[in-house]
Amino acid sequence: MKKTFYKTTIRTKKASFLPLIAIACMAGIALASCDDFLTELPTDAVADEEAFSSAKDFTNNLNGVYNSFGHYQFYGRNVVCLGDAASDLVYHDNKSGNFQVLSMWQVESTNAELRDIWEYGYKVINNSTKIIKAGEKVDFPESEMATVHGCMAQAYGLKALAAFTLTNLFALPHTEANKNTPGIVNVTEPVEAFQQISRATVADNYDLILSDIAKAKDYFAREDMDIPGYAYINPAALDALEARVRLYMHDYAGAIQAARTAIDARGSSLVTTAEAYSAMYTSNIVSPEDIFVVVKSATDNPGSNSLGTMYPFYGLHVSEEVLTEYAETDIRNGLLNNGDGAKYVGTNEGADAHNIPVLRLPELYLTLAEAYAAQGNYAAAKESLLVVLAARDPGFDPATVAENASIIADIRQARKLELLQEGHRLFDVRRWGEKIDVVRGRYKNFDPSLFAFPIPQTEVNAGFGVVQTEGWEQTLPR
């Protein structure tokens, strides 16, 4: 019988970054601090394979990976912020330098936020790989191996999620035409000192992401596995991630199957009142809609490290036009009209504390709707779409949604409003091939599907084999 338990939420804390180039250049230096690392928690360092001498070491090191994942330089702020700040839903008032360059589309390969995302993304990937490879070598008592295998499952999931995030930022979207274009660096073994590396193709990136998800599922499927709660990678989160990945690949049958499995595994439903909706974002308690959420405390998320501080104190604002698109009876209005920070205005722990949803139940229903519509099954698409629309607006009239191709526009509008400020918008319009106006209309008809953010110049200049995306500047909005 498998056990389900809910751990104390891992807190992130500020630490020095370890970019891919630093992994290659400094691997020997990291060995000197392994013993100290294993006695301290939390941390975001991960020991080399030889230092894993007990199941507790695996848990400690996995906590380090979670800390890197939830750090403000990756999913704790930058990744989530970028997906909206560079879209048509959010603008910058020029009163601060935070995310000003990216939101104004004055993109350069030396941009600090892009560099941080790359560095911390690869920190997650490489350190997850260390845990996986160490787990393949150890032979502890059976009771300890269950813990090891649980850590390996979560490491595979974190690795896949980080790789998917980086691929969508630094490579072109997954299409038939783009499959063989440069993606990111695939990591299947820990990167050694001075190792030459190179970018794989977009298709190879997606193949490895799906492979890692499958391996994570295999470990969770073992007997006597402890199943973590929703502040951690868990079986439902793996299916939800697979649904997102397959939707981005235009594998609609695969997206439907994975989304259905994730919904069943979560065994919950969408909230239907303004109070319950607001509580999802103003409390540090995991909500019924969360499948994987980063919980941030005030102590590890101070000041400009907070998404709530980015809106509006450091210059970001949700477009007034977008807020008018919510119906008067929509339960989301109460929260969204509570200032530009909206979903990140703070929790019961303080103004700088908030949860960051990574995978949520409504996204899965919208994935089902989009995938069914792409297959021409408009009745099933409508059924899935109405789960979200009816839950969010008690005054919604289902008759306004047609069972024909026009439902695609309704689905895209629903994603736009439901996932606002959660980092999806730029990548949704990108994979749809939809043109948008950015920087408050300064640049019109921008096509993000032709654009990939540049590889950080520090990585390219390191000379370990990662080359810049050719001609990326030519696809900027003009």
Side-chain angles (χ1 to χ4, degrees):
M1 179 71 68
K2 293 183 181 180
K3 298 175 286 183
T4 301
F5 69 97
Y6 299 90
K7 304 177 184 177
T8 302
T9 302
I10 294 175
R11 303 298 189 189
T12 62
K13 74 175 185 178
K14 192 172 183 179
S16 58
F17 61 75
L18 185 61
L20 191 59
I21 54 172
I23 292 169
C25 295
M26 300 174 63
I29 297 174
L31 285 170
S33 60
C34 286
D35 292 339
D36 290 340
F37 161 73
L38 292 174
T39 62
E40 294 184 283
L41 190 70
T43 180
D44 63 358
V46 169
D48 282 346
E49 297 169 38
E50 293 77 8
F52 290 79
S53 58
S54 70
K56 183 180 178 181
D57 293 342
F58 281 86
T59 301
N60 288 353
N61 284 285
L62 180 65
N63 283 354
V65 180
Y66 275 109
N67 288 329
S68 295
F69 182 87
H71 200 277
Y72 80 90
Q73 290 172 295
F74 195 59
Y75 232 98
R77 190 195 70 180
N78 284 5
V79 169
V80 178
C81 189
L82 179 56
D84 284 286
S87 78
D88 54 342
L89 306 187
V90 171
Y91 68 93
H92 200 287
D93 63 12
N94 298 324
K95 292 180 181 178
S96 164
N98 292 68
F99 265 89
Q100 180 184 25
V101 170
L102 294 178
S103 60
M104 299 290 288
W105 277 99
Q106 298 167 352
V107 180
E108 297 177 348
S109 61
T110 54
N111 175 264
E113 286 89 358
L114 293 177
R115 180 201 65 208
D116 291 344
I117 291 172
W118 176 273
E119 291 170 352
Y120 267 79
Y122 270 108
K123 194 171 188 177
V124 171
I125 291 170
N126 199 65
N127 288 341
S128 293
T129 305
K130 286 184 178 182
I131 292 172
I132 292 164
K133 292 303 174 182
E136 293 174 349
K137 295 178 180 179
V138 299
D139 186 17
F140 299 152
E142 186 176 344
S143 59
E144 290 194 41
M145 287 307 298
T147 298
V148 171
H149 292 149
C151 290
M152 293 173 70
Q154 293 174 71
Y156 268 121
L158 288 166
K159 179 174 179 279
L161 181 51
F164 176 73
T165 301
L166 294 182
T167 301
N168 279 289
L169 276 166
F170 297 105
L172 292 172
H174 188 289
T175 65
E176 195 62 38
N178 293 338
K179 283 183 178 181
N180 295 320
T181 59
I184 63 167
V185 179
N186 272 351
V187 176
T188 56
E189 297 283 343
V191 179
E192 301 294 339
F194 311 112
Q195 179 180 333
Q196 285 292 309
I197 50 181
S198 61
R199 299 172 66 179
T201 65
V202 169
D204 287 340
N205 291 154
Y206 273 81
D207 286 345
L208 182 58
I209 291 164
L210 290 175
S211 173
D212 285 344
I213 293 172
K215 289 174 181 177
K217 290 182 181 182
D218 287 343
Y219 277 107
F220 270 133
R222 293 174 179 239
E223 292 297 323
D224 299 322
M225 284 288 292
D226 289 330
I227 305 302
Y230 299 110
Y232 299 83
I233 294 293
N234 59 82
L238 292 171
D239 287 312
L241 175 58
E242 182 179 348
R244 184 186 293 179
V245 172
R246 292 194 182 278
L247 184 69
Y248 274 55
M249 296 175 67
H250 310 286
D251 175 7
Y252 300 117
I256 290 169
Q257 181 178 349
R260 285 290 181 198
T261 304
I263 290 170
D264 291 343
R266 185 61 178 92
S268 186
S269 58
L270 274 60
V271 302
T272 57
T273 68
E275 294 76 16
Y277 182 82
S278 179
M280 291 196 301
Y281 298 95
T282 56
S283 169
N284 64 354
I285 299 172
V286 174
S287 82
E289 296 187 6
D290 290 320
I291 299 176
F292 175 42
V293 60
V294 174
V295 180
K296 304 284 284 185
S297 73
T299 56
D300 64 34
N301 202 40
S304 61
N305 294 353
S306 165
L307 275 166
T309 307
M310 297 298 294
Y311 297 90
F313 301 108
Y314 284 89
L316 293 179
H317 303 269
V318 176
S319 170
E320 299 88 346
E321 293 79 7
V322 175
L323 294 177
T324 64
E325 296 179 26
Y326 294 87
E328 291 184 3
T329 51
D330 197 305
I331 67 171
R332 295 170 291 196
N333 281 323
L335 177 72
L336 296 178
N337 290 324
N338 191 29
D340 285 316
K343 295 180 177 181
Y344 309 109
V345 294
T347 68
N348 48 299
E349 286 200 4
D352 291 332
H354 53 69
N355 291 0
I356 301 176
V358 182
L359 296 161
R360 285 202 302 131
L361 200 55
E363 181 193 349
L364 291 172
Y365 283 106
L366 294 172
T367 292
L368 286 175
E370 183 176 340
Y372 279 129
Q375 293 181 329
N377 188 346
Y378 301 121
K382 179 175 180 177
E383 180 182 1
S384 298
L385 177 60
L386 290 182
V387 173
V388 178
L389 298 183
R392 297 307 188 226
D393 183 3
F396 180 76
D397 181 4
T400 60
V401 179
E403 291 186 17
N404 55 45
S406 67
I407 197 175
I408 294 173
D410 294 330
I411 295 166
R412 293 182 179 184
Q413 175 71 1
R415 283 188 68 95
K416 172 183 173 181
L417 299 183
E418 177 61 30
L419 302 178
L420 175 68
Q421 288 193 305
E422 295 180 25
H424 293 265
R425 177 61 176 174
L426 179 64
F427 305 103
D428 277 344
V429 296
R430 188 171 181 257
R431 63 189 176 81
W432 293 333
E434 189 173 294
K435 295 181 180 179
I436 56 174
D437 297 343
V438 294
V439 195
R440 307 215 83 182
R442 177 182 300 179
Y443 305 119
K444 298 184 182 298
N445 296 316
F446 170 50
D447 188 351
S449 69
L450 303 177
F451 177 81
F453 286 100
I455 303 296
Q457 201 61 41
T458 51
E459 182 69 77
V460 175
N461 290 346
F464 287 97
V466 178
V467 297
Q468 187 58 268
T469 301
E470 186 176 350
W472 69 268
E473 306 98 325
Q474 304 307 312
T475 57
L476 286 165
R478 300 182 184 279

